[in-house]
Amino acid sequence: MRRLAPLAALALLLATAPALAQDLLIRNATVHTATARGTLQGADVLVRNGRIAAIGTRLDAAGATVVEADGKPLTPALFAGITAIGIDEVSGEDATTDTTLALGAGSKEMVVRPEFDVTLAYNADSLLVPVARVEGLGFTVLAAGTGEGGSIIGGQGAVMRLDGSDQPAGPKLLFVQLGGGSAAGLAGGSRAAQWMLLDQLVDEVRGRIPAGSNAALLTPAGRDTLKRYLYGGGRLVVGVDRAADIRQLLRWSKRHGVQVAIRGGGEAWRVASELAAAKVPVFVDPLDNLPSNFDRIHATLENAARLRAAGAIVGFSQAGDSSHNARKIRQLAGNAVAHGLPWEDGLAGLTRVPAEAFGVGGELGGIAPGMRADLVLWDGDPLDVASLARQVWFDGRAIPMHSRQTELRDRYLRPAPDATRGDLPRAYSTPAH
């Protein structure tokens, strides 16, 4: 057995070891499995070949690197929310943003291109990736946006692991925006038009409107793409807040047999029982609790707790700058717990719920034999923003716990430069004295 008890020793190992999956034993942890097994006190987690091999006590760790957890919390790597990480590096610089299709910009024609796929533009070298993962975030859903020149159907995205890989980790998802404001503007100014247009698209896919018709909105590729979602080949992620719109969405999805998830759901608690019955997952931002527009008049801090109490499936995603501040998603879950959501459901909303909703539940979002060993060891409650990730593993491989932000922090923690000695300003990339 190779023993490396403290994490400081692990950091030394990282400096010299190749980036390969390794056999690993994390011993004596408080293991929050995010599965039906719940939380296990004083448990060991054994990793073999990048997968979780066993969970128990006094596990055999022949040949494995051993990390002593000293009772600290161990969780699956967390969900970063529905974001644009990797496709929106600097929001004010067009050359670094790839979120939205706008082929019809400047015209009055709505361009519907569900085949638009933002995963093709994903940049695994984005500086946002290491910033997110050192905070314990292991996967995100890359979302296609909607905007002028496009339509209420933004396009496709998928789950991306934040391990440096650039291929989707799960099935494609189709993003749709409904309701008032800009969404209504994309559909001619009326919510009613959104349902009319969606029904027309269904008619096109099912052959009730010929492909060559002057009324047709879809390209052949768009028709094939939408057909896949209408016949059970993927889930629609629908941005919608108003309770009346959510009810209409439930009717529409039931009528056409379409799987949906809700993003936003500011008034979802008002239709909680219907959402629970339909098994539609809802990804809320518990801190987005003000009536900031007419779709969110009944927003409340207790949205997540009321949904869960009614039996609905609840996850989390930020309403604001979800890409550059992805780490704040733990604060969302913690505040939901502070307003009545059970703690285990708060963790599930960052792990199991998004993994299952977006098609990677057998691989990510839990600690169970056979699942990928994407793990985080914390120094305290992971839903408390005062806690930090001590170590993150992908496939049992420990990642270096630094990012551009930690490098900036360390630069300005150095002693102030002394110009009389010829010291250069801190911003100069020179070794510290």
Side-chain angles (χ1 to χ4, degrees):
M1 180 187 306
R2 184 156 36 116
R3 182 183 298 271
L4 286 176
L7 285 172
L10 183 60
L12 178 61
L13 177 69
L14 287 172
T16 56
L20 299 174
Q22 56 187 326
D23 292 344
L24 172 71
L25 177 67
I26 303 171
R27 188 152 56 195
N28 185 27
T30 299
V31 181
H32 299 287
T33 67
T35 72
R37 295 186 68 177
T39 298
L40 308 173
Q41 302 290 341
D44 304 340
V45 174
L46 179 63
V47 176
R48 297 284 192 199
N49 299 317
R51 301 269 174 175
I52 296 169
I55 306 170
T57 55
R58 299 180 180 178
L59 295 179
D60 179 12
T65 298
V66 179
V67 173
E68 300 288 352
D70 299 325
K72 299 295 185 184
L74 183 75
T75 69
L78 304 184
F79 177 57
I82 300 169
T83 74
I85 292 174
I87 56 172
D88 185 7
E89 190 78 6
V90 181
S91 301
E93 171 52 54
D94 290 345
T96 69
T97 61
D98 297 285
T99 59
T100 305
L101 177 145
L103 296 178
S107 77
K108 293 184 179 179
E109 298 296 325
M110 184 177 70
V111 175
V112 186
R113 301 295 291 269
E115 65 271 35
F116 175 59
D117 182 355
V118 293
T119 67
L120 300 176
Y122 180 70
N123 176 19
D125 293 329
S126 167
L127 291 176
L128 274 59
V129 172
V131 169
R133 66 189 177 201
V134 299
E135 299 285 345
L137 305 179
F139 64 109
T140 186
V141 162
L142 205 63
T146 57
E148 184 181 0
S151 76
I152 54 176
I153 296 182
Q156 299 178 93
V159 169
M160 308 297 291
R161 289 174 79 220
L162 302 178
D163 64 341
S165 58
D166 61 3
Q167 295 300 307
K172 296 292 173 58
L173 307 157
L174 186 65
F175 291 84
V176 179
Q177 187 67 38
L178 299 176
S182 60
L186 290 170
S190 169
R191 300 165 198 268
Q194 297 168 0
W195 304 111
M196 178 191 76
L197 291 167
L198 286 174
D199 281 342
Q200 174 178 335
L201 296 174
V202 173
D203 286 344
E204 288 188 39
V205 170
R206 293 184 172 160
R208 293 189 282 267
I209 296 177
S213 168
N214 291 334
L217 293 170
L218 295 169
T219 66
R223 205 160 40 247
D224 289 344
T225 299
L226 194 55
K227 183 177 182 178
R228 187 167 70 249
Y229 292 96
L230 293 180
Y231 287 91
R235 190 184 290 273
L236 271 62
V237 182
V238 182
V240 62
D241 282 307
R242 196 173 73 166
D245 297 332
I246 295 173
R247 288 193 186 94
Q248 199 64 251
L249 174 64
L250 294 178
R251 295 187 195 105
W252 183 86
S253 61
K254 182 178 181 181
R255 184 165 68 247
H256 295 297
V258 179
Q259 282 188 308
V260 299
I262 289 176
R263 173 189 187 182
E267 294 188 349
W269 66 270
R270 300 186 68 210
V271 287
S273 58
E274 293 101 312
L275 288 164
K279 296 183 172 54
V280 171
V282 186
F283 290 83
V284 302
D285 182 342
L287 292 179
D288 193 20
N289 66 309
L290 298 177
S292 54
N293 59 54
F294 284 98
D295 283 14
R296 304 179 47 81
I297 291 174
H298 298 282
T300 169
L301 284 165
E302 296 178 353
N303 194 9
R306 294 179 186 181
L307 280 164
R308 191 71 195 110
I313 305 165
V314 181
F316 301 103
S317 189
Q318 291 186 69
D321 188 358
S322 58
S323 302
H324 293 81
N325 292 295
R327 65 186 181 280
K328 293 183 178 178
I329 199 166
R330 290 195 289 130
Q331 186 176 1
L332 272 58
N335 275 267
V337 170
H339 289 85
L341 184 72
W343 192 95
E344 293 286 351
D345 288 323
L347 181 66
L350 294 176
T351 52
R352 184 184 71 250
V353 167
E356 291 179 348
F358 300 130
V360 292
E363 295 276 295
L364 308 177
I367 300 178
M371 299 186 78
R372 298 185 85 142
D374 292 359
L375 303 167
V376 185
L377 185 63
W378 303 88
D379 65 5
D381 182 349
L383 303 189
D384 181 351
V385 291
S387 302
L388 297 174
R390 296 179 67 188
Q391 184 58 58
V392 177
W393 292 269
F394 285 99
D395 291 334
R397 173 175 51 86
I399 67 162
M401 295 297 288
H402 65 77
S403 68
R404 173 66 66 88
Q405 291 186 349
T406 63
E407 290 171 1
L408 284 170
R409 176 202 64 195
D410 295 342
R411 171 182 289 178
Y412 289 98
L413 283 176
R414 287 174 9 208
D418 183 350
T420 63
R421 296 189 309 172
D423 292 348
L424 296 172
R426 283 190 172 110
Y428 284 53
S429 297
T430 56
H433 290 289

